[in-house]
Amino acid sequence: MLNTASPFTVEDLYRLGWLEDPQVCPDGRVVAFVRVTIDRPANANRRAIWIAPTDGGPPRRFTSGVNDTSPRWSPDGRWLAFVRGRGDQTPQLYVIRRDGGEARCLTSLPQGVSHPAWSPDGRWIAFLSRLNAAERAREDAGESEPTPPDEFTRKQIAERRKYEEERRFDPRVVRRLPYRAGVDFFDDRYAQIYLIDVPEDDDDPAPQPRRITDADLDFGAPVWMPDGQALLTTATRNPEGDSQFFFFDVLRVPVMPEGRAEPQRLTAPGFTYWNPRPSPDGRLIACLRAPEGQPFSAGTLLAVMDASGGALRDLTAATDLSIEAFDWLPDGDGLLCLAAYRGAQPLWRVALDGSGCQRLDQMPGDRLIAECDVGTDGTVAFVAGDAANPCELYVHDPVGVERRLTAFNAPLLEERIVAPYEELIYAAPDGQKVQGWVIHPSDFDPARPGGYPLAVYIHGGPHLMWGPGVRSMWHEWQVAAARGYVVFFCNPRGSDGYGNAWRLATQSNWGFADAPDIHAGIDALLARGYIDPRRIAVTGGSYGGYMTVWLIAHSDRFACAAAARGVYNLLTQHSTSDAHELVELTFEGFPWENHALLWRHSPLAYAHRITTPLLILHAERDYRVPISEAEQLFAFLRRRKQVVEFVRYPREGHELTRTGEPDHRADHMRRILEWFDQFCQMPADNRASSRGEKTDD
């Protein structure tokens, strides 16, 4: 049969969706999940909840909204709760029967809801909503807004509220750090825990939600204790600590018949804690924790403590793994966790006695599992990507049989040539082995006259890890290979998945520690003889943007470069980012203490050496790495009359290339590849002459 498959293009982005938040129904027969698709005419990402039978039957769409998230099954499996955002309205809590019908809205809170959680008896749903002190006081006094009698009145109220909110922050007074994140500024509201009594009958009126916390603290996602008498959550131990990432403790919030009780703090300083989960019998609480001194570099541990609190026992300290997520096994005699390992992210079984982790059998070695859920019958549902497919839903049943439940990407993949990945293990200058991957063009010929251009991709973090199953890069790498590039990426020093010593190598040593690993990979490919050394391009985002500029400031081997959302000046990054702790803790001090050290490790300090043509891309509402980083770099290079171009993306934040507006994501990818083409692609009739060979007249 004639093979009609064609190469990938940038336009394929609009057909590649992804999946989120799998949730196994209590009877183990179906999995609910969020499917994300692109609405091209609206230039928007759409989210709907789907259901897939675990026996492998066809999945079906279950909700009709365009922004439905957070599916959560009731304990008896008869209801599904979820959060729905509609147009200009704040997200609210809905429930829908498993056997179908109309979804019912249970809340109408002005600031919306998030993180729903059913009580063990199915009577209550806990959730979060944000309020300031004055709004909490009015609520406690019983002052609530009446329900609008019609849609016209609702819109009037919403417009009035929006107007008053804008006036309230004009001008904006800032008294704490951080004061912005994502693409928005913080207000004076804090996430509080609510309970709502779920009506048994569709005709019963929805009760008024009851708030059970009252503090100027952001409480984390609520998790019920098995007896239904309390909730677990997290909150900062230091409201003046100027941190949105660290100094968090595990709290127990009692659930009273009425009113509220003071939360009990269960953990102590020395670590920051998150994601508490009780064992099925309620005797233990497991959580993730990281040392406060090196929370970025040292990795994440899985620990357990008695439900009453007290000392924690680390279950994974001896494994040299950094734990991404976990869930209890149904019998409570162990846990299942996700941890990065050499370019993959498999499932691991963790023993309660601290004897270590055992990787689940029959899992492909290149698979990267992004999210998972363990059902009460032992069924494990997970979303994963691998070298052949960027994202689908799978189940691992209680007897160990795996099934793929979705094939949403199959129609496109059947039409395209999927270039295979080749693992490349090579030696760094100090003899350490580095793991990387190579993707060749579909028509690859190692004897091709003139050789091939090389596109080098660098991951962010720096404590992230790439592998063939990384969904956010899978398509972009395939498009680059389809355009004739040999694609190379690796996990240099600082990357996750290779143990604590590898992660810690970049502590106080950005740039100097990891650049040799990347150069060694390029050298290993050049030794093969099919890469044109004059046509090497390099790109990366966030820390990858940092490394891109670091490399071209310390080497002239690159024909061109594209740096996205990068950190270029550690002195200014510290004081403008919502993550100032990254600089303070990585370089072990404040800028006024470490001025010389931070400048030495800043690419901007070497920008006067750059002669490589550079494309700079940045989002205008990026508060993780503010656009002022790109503005400084562009001004330096422009004043030196170097070849430089600066692209600014309005409305976007740091997640532009992962969850931004589809047209911006496509433009970002296209511009980088066109920049590469401008400096790296060579007309076919010039390839032979580039090696000193004769061409036909």
Side-chain angles (χ1 to χ4, degrees):
M1 180 180 293
L2 180 65
N3 185 359
T4 60
S6 58
F8 277 94
T9 69
V10 172
E11 294 296 301
D12 293 330
L13 178 142
Y14 295 95
R15 297 177 61 185
L16 281 170
W18 66 94
L19 311 178
E20 299 171 340
D21 205 357
Q23 297 290 314
V24 182
C25 187
D27 63 12
R29 296 174 60 186
V30 296
V31 179
F33 60 96
V34 177
R35 184 184 181 192
V36 188
T37 56
I38 292 177
D39 181 345
R40 187 164 190 177
N43 187 30
N45 300 312
R46 303 302 192 193
R47 285 173 166 82
I49 295 170
W50 285 60
I51 287 180
T54 54
D55 63 4
R60 63 186 177 94
R61 183 167 178 166
F62 195 60
T63 65
S64 58
V66 297
N67 190 20
D68 293 345
T69 62
S70 305
R72 297 294 182 268
W73 292 105
S74 62
D76 61 9
R78 294 191 303 123
W79 294 88
L80 187 72
F82 65 98
V83 174
R84 168 171 288 175
R86 299 178 61 184
D88 61 345
Q89 301 179 38
T90 55
Q92 302 296 337
L93 179 65
Y94 283 70
V95 291
I96 186 171
R97 291 184 180 274
R98 176 174 170 176
D99 55 8
E102 290 293 325
R104 182 182 183 189
C105 184
L106 297 185
T107 62
S108 57
L109 296 177
Q111 302 305 318
V113 307
S114 66
H115 299 91
W118 288 87
S119 63
D121 61 5
R123 177 184 173 187
W124 301 89
I125 297 177
F127 60 87
L128 299 179
S129 188
R130 301 179 63 83
L131 301 90
N132 59 30
E135 291 165 341
R136 299 199 305 268
R138 288 196 297 269
E139 185 180 83
D140 286 344
E143 301 174 12
S144 60
E145 294 185 4
T147 302
D150 51 50
E151 183 65 13
F152 178 75
T153 306
R154 185 202 67 77
K155 289 183 177 180
Q156 285 186 315
I157 294 173
E159 285 297 317
R160 166 59 63 176
R161 185 181 295 126
K162 180 180 178 183
Y163 171 76
E164 292 175 349
E165 188 76 2
E166 291 173 349
R167 290 289 302 273
R168 201 162 69 89
F169 295 102
D170 184 4
R172 184 180 299 275
V173 179
V174 176
R175 296 190 177 92
R176 60 172 176 154
L177 281 176
Y179 53 89
R180 57 186 185 176
V183 295
D184 294 306
F185 283 78
F186 291 138
D187 55 21
D188 55 354
R189 297 183 175 92
Y190 296 89
Q192 306 294 317
I193 301 176
Y194 280 81
L195 301 179
I196 190 168
D197 193 344
V198 182
E200 273 292 325
D201 193 287
D202 290 343
D203 295 327
D204 292 341
Q208 186 72 15
R210 175 165 67 96
R211 180 166 45 84
I212 63 170
T213 58
D214 185 43
D216 285 342
L217 298 173
D218 279 314
F219 291 95
V223 180
W224 288 88
M225 291 296 292
D227 62 6
Q229 300 301 304
L231 290 156
L232 298 178
T233 185
T234 56
T236 181
R237 76 174 67 100
N238 182 9
E240 297 300 317
D242 294 339
S243 177
Q244 64 172 322
F245 302 109
F246 305 116
F247 316 118
F248 284 87
D249 279 323
V250 175
L251 277 65
R252 181 201 306 274
V253 181
V255 176
M256 312 296 289
E258 58 183 28
R260 62 180 72 99
E262 190 69 21
Q264 175 191 5
R265 206 168 288 268
L266 301 181
T267 50
F271 289 81
T272 187
Y273 308 85
W274 64 99
N275 195 24
R277 289 177 177 268
S279 60
D281 60 10
R283 294 188 305 107
L284 299 173
I285 296 172
C287 65
L288 298 178
R289 70 174 184 169
E292 289 180 0
Q294 291 181 333
F296 295 105
S297 303
T300 301
L301 300 170
L302 175 59
V304 294
M305 62 181 168
D306 290 338
S308 58
L312 281 88
R313 292 186 293 114
D314 287 319
L315 300 182
T316 58
T319 65
D320 216 10
L321 296 172
S322 180
I323 308 304
E324 178 71 19
F326 74 93
D327 206 349
W328 284 91
L329 292 169
D331 55 13
D333 67 349
L335 303 100
L336 209 61
C337 74
L338 289 176
Y341 183 73
R342 300 190 61 81
Q345 187 156 280
L347 286 163
W348 306 78
R349 184 184 175 110
V350 184
L352 280 179
D353 62 6
S355 59
C357 298
Q358 181 181 3
R359 185 168 174 169
L360 255 62
D361 295 334
Q362 302 172 353
M363 290 280 181
D366 63 350
R367 175 179 287 169
L368 198 150
I369 299 176
E371 298 179 84
C372 70
D373 181 57
V374 181
T376 55
D377 70 336
T379 298
V380 183
F382 57 93
V383 173
D386 55 35
N389 191 321
C391 187
E392 296 292 356
L393 175 68
Y394 301 80
V395 291
H396 195 80
D397 71 18
V399 298
V401 176
E402 180 183 302
R403 296 184 185 88
R404 191 177 78 176
L405 301 187
T406 63
F408 292 124
N409 290 321
L412 175 63
L413 298 181
E414 290 170 359
E415 299 173 12
R416 296 290 179 263
I417 300 169
V418 179
Y421 294 73
E422 176 195 345
E423 184 184 37
L424 177 66
I425 306 294
Y426 58 92
D430 63 356
Q432 291 284 335
K433 298 297 183 182
V434 185
Q435 185 182 31
W437 287 265
V438 184
I439 309 174
H440 297 103
S442 58
D443 60 352
F444 177 69
D445 176 6
R448 170 181 166 177
Y452 288 86
L454 176 65
V456 179
Y457 287 79
I458 306 173
H459 71 62
H463 308 300
L464 296 181
M465 180 199 72
W466 273 352
V470 175
R471 179 194 64 79
S472 61
M473 292 302 301
W474 194 96
H475 173 231
E476 187 165 349
W477 291 332
Q478 289 290 331
V479 174
R483 290 174 79 115
Y485 291 90
V486 173
V487 173
F488 168 69
F489 61 92
C490 66
N491 289 319
R493 241 62 69 102
S495 302
D496 196 6
Y498 302 86
N500 225 30
W502 196 262
R503 288 175 60 96
L504 286 167
T506 54
Q507 181 75 12
S508 297
N509 201 22
W510 282 13
F512 293 105
D514 36 348
D517 294 348
I518 299 169
H519 279 299
I522 298 171
D523 291 339
L525 286 172
L526 288 173
R528 294 182 170 187
Y530 56 73
I531 300 297
D532 185 343
R534 296 167 301 173
R535 295 190 289 146
I536 303 175
V538 61
T539 186
S542 194
Y543 184 81
Y546 168 101
M547 276 306 304
T548 295
V549 178
W550 182 272
L551 290 173
I552 64 173
H554 290 81
S555 171
D556 60 0
R557 79 185 309 171
F558 300 98
C560 64
R565 60 189 184 281
V567 177
Y568 310 122
N569 183 347
L570 289 168
L571 293 164
T572 53
Q573 164 70 11
H574 166 269
S575 302
T576 57
S577 170
D578 67 346
H580 50 272
E581 307 100 321
L582 179 62
V583 173
E584 295 172 7
L585 296 174
T586 299
F587 290 90
E588 301 172 6
F590 297 102
W592 52 90
E593 300 168 331
N594 284 338
H595 182 280
L597 177 66
L598 294 178
W599 186 241
R600 179 171 180 260
H601 288 271
S602 296
L604 200 66
Y606 311 93
H608 60 284
R609 303 177 181 175
I610 294 174
T611 58
T612 303
L614 177 63
L615 175 67
I616 306 170
L617 308 101
H618 221 104
E620 293 188 343
R621 295 173 69 181
D622 185 343
Y623 300 144
R624 177 61 43 82
V625 180
I627 198 169
S628 55
E629 293 294 298
E631 291 169 338
Q632 294 174 76
L633 179 60
F634 174 74
F636 270 43
L637 296 178
R638 176 60 190 168
R639 291 299 292 148
R640 294 188 59 250
K641 304 304 179 187
Q642 298 302 305
V643 179
V644 62
E645 190 171 298
F646 182 20
V647 184
R648 304 170 62 105
Y649 290 92
R651 302 180 299 281
E652 299 287 6
H654 199 63
E655 297 300 303
L656 186 163
T657 60
R658 292 179 278 265
T659 59
E661 294 177 16
D663 287 352
H664 281 163
R665 292 173 58 205
D667 182 87
H668 195 280
M669 190 188 312
R670 187 180 296 110
R671 283 183 186 274
I672 291 175
L673 292 171
E674 289 175 352
W675 187 260
F676 287 2
D677 289 350
Q678 183 178 345
F679 299 98
C680 292
Q681 289 290 18
M682 185 169 52
D685 57 359
N686 290 340
R687 289 175 186 151
S689 61
S690 71
R691 288 186 173 178
E693 300 172 6
K694 292 183 178 180
T695 57
D696 294 332
D697 293 332

Short mmCIF file of all heavy atoms in Angstrom, two decimals, residues 74-75 117-126 224-225 228:
data_model
loop_
_atom_site.label_atom_id
_atom_site.label_comp_id
_atom_site.label_asym_id
_atom_site.label_seq_id
_atom_site.Cartn_x
_atom_site.Cartn_y
_atom_site.Cartn_z
N SER A 74 -18.72 11.34 43.44
CA SER A 74 -19.25 11.12 44.79
C SER A 74 -18.83 9.72 45.25
O SER A 74 -18.53 8.84 44.43
CB SER A 74 -20.77 11.24 44.79
OG SER A 74 -21.36 10.26 43.95
N PRO A 75 -18.76 9.47 46.56
CA PRO A 75 -18.30 8.16 47.05
C PRO A 75 -19.12 6.98 46.54
O PRO A 75 -18.58 5.88 46.38
CB PRO A 75 -18.42 8.30 48.57
CG PRO A 75 -18.27 9.77 48.82
CD PRO A 75 -18.95 10.43 47.66
N ALA A 117 -14.16 18.73 46.81
CA ALA A 117 -13.82 17.44 47.42
C ALA A 117 -15.04 16.92 48.17
O ALA A 117 -15.56 17.59 49.07
CB ALA A 117 -12.64 17.57 48.38
N TRP A 118 -15.51 15.71 47.81
CA TRP A 118 -16.67 15.10 48.46
C TRP A 118 -16.30 14.57 49.84
O TRP A 118 -15.21 14.02 50.04
CB TRP A 118 -17.18 13.92 47.63
CG TRP A 118 -17.87 14.28 46.35
CD1 TRP A 118 -17.29 14.49 45.14
CD2 TRP A 118 -19.28 14.44 46.16
NE1 TRP A 118 -18.24 14.77 44.20
CE2 TRP A 118 -19.48 14.75 44.79
CE3 TRP A 118 -20.40 14.35 46.99
CZ2 TRP A 118 -20.74 14.97 44.24
CZ3 TRP A 118 -21.66 14.57 46.45
CH2 TRP A 118 -21.83 14.88 45.09
N SER A 119 -17.23 14.69 50.77
CA SER A 119 -17.05 14.06 52.08
C SER A 119 -17.21 12.55 51.93
O SER A 119 -17.84 12.07 50.99
CB SER A 119 -18.06 14.61 53.08
OG SER A 119 -19.39 14.30 52.68
N PRO A 120 -16.64 11.76 52.85
CA PRO A 120 -16.72 10.30 52.73
C PRO A 120 -18.14 9.75 52.67
O PRO A 120 -18.38 8.72 52.04
CB PRO A 120 -15.99 9.80 53.98
CG PRO A 120 -15.04 10.90 54.31
CD PRO A 120 -15.75 12.17 53.96
N ASP A 121 -19.11 10.43 53.31
CA ASP A 121 -20.49 9.95 53.27
C ASP A 121 -21.28 10.53 52.10
O ASP A 121 -22.46 10.22 51.93
CB ASP A 121 -21.21 10.26 54.59
CG ASP A 121 -21.28 11.76 54.89
OD1 ASP A 121 -20.86 12.57 54.03
OD2 ASP A 121 -21.76 12.12 55.98
N GLY A 122 -20.65 11.37 51.28
CA GLY A 122 -21.30 11.93 50.11
C GLY A 122 -22.29 13.04 50.41
O GLY A 122 -22.98 13.51 49.51
N ARG A 123 -22.34 13.48 51.66
CA ARG A 123 -23.31 14.52 52.01
C ARG A 123 -22.81 15.91 51.67
O ARG A 123 -23.59 16.78 51.30
CB ARG A 123 -23.63 14.43 53.51
CG ARG A 123 -24.57 15.51 53.99
CD ARG A 123 -24.78 15.45 55.49
NE ARG A 123 -25.55 16.61 55.95
CZ ARG A 123 -25.78 16.91 57.23
NH1 ARG A 123 -25.29 16.11 58.18
NH2 ARG A 123 -26.47 17.98 57.57
N TRP A 124 -21.51 16.13 51.83
CA TRP A 124 -20.95 17.46 51.69
C TRP A 124 -19.94 17.51 50.55
O TRP A 124 -19.33 16.51 50.21
CB TRP A 124 -20.22 17.88 52.97
CG TRP A 124 -21.06 17.90 54.20
CD1 TRP A 124 -21.27 16.86 55.06
CD2 TRP A 124 -21.79 19.01 54.73
NE1 TRP A 124 -22.10 17.25 56.08
CE2 TRP A 124 -22.43 18.58 55.90
CE3 TRP A 124 -21.97 20.33 54.31
CZ2 TRP A 124 -23.22 19.41 56.67
CZ3 TRP A 124 -22.76 21.16 55.09
CH2 TRP A 124 -23.38 20.70 56.24
N ILE A 125 -19.76 18.70 50.01
CA ILE A 125 -18.63 19.00 49.14
C ILE A 125 -17.89 20.17 49.75
O ILE A 125 -18.48 21.22 50.04
CB ILE A 125 -19.06 19.34 47.70
CG1 ILE A 125 -19.77 18.15 47.05
CG2 ILE A 125 -17.85 19.74 46.86
CD1 ILE A 125 -20.29 18.45 45.64
N ALA A 126 -16.59 19.99 49.97
CA ALA A 126 -15.74 21.08 50.40
C ALA A 126 -15.11 21.73 49.17
O ALA A 126 -14.87 21.07 48.16
CB ALA A 126 -14.65 20.58 51.35
N TRP A 224 -10.55 15.38 52.72
CA TRP A 224 -11.30 14.85 53.86
C TRP A 224 -10.53 13.73 54.57
O TRP A 224 -9.91 12.87 53.92
CB TRP A 224 -12.64 14.30 53.41
CG TRP A 224 -13.62 15.36 53.01
CD1 TRP A 224 -13.78 15.92 51.78
CD2 TRP A 224 -14.59 15.98 53.87
NE1 TRP A 224 -14.78 16.85 51.81
CE2 TRP A 224 -15.31 16.91 53.07
CE3 TRP A 224 -14.93 15.84 55.22
CZ2 TRP A 224 -16.33 17.69 53.59
CZ3 TRP A 224 -15.97 16.62 55.73
CH2 TRP A 224 -16.65 17.54 54.93
N MET A 225 -10.62 13.74 55.90
CA MET A 225 -10.22 12.57 56.67
C MET A 225 -11.30 11.50 56.49
O MET A 225 -12.48 11.82 56.29
CB MET A 225 -10.06 12.93 58.14
CG MET A 225 -8.88 13.83 58.44
SD MET A 225 -7.28 13.04 58.06
CE MET A 225 -7.21 11.76 59.33
N GLY A 228 -14.69 11.79 58.19
CA GLY A 228 -15.53 12.93 57.87
C GLY A 228 -15.58 14.00 58.94
O GLY A 228 -16.34 14.96 58.83
#
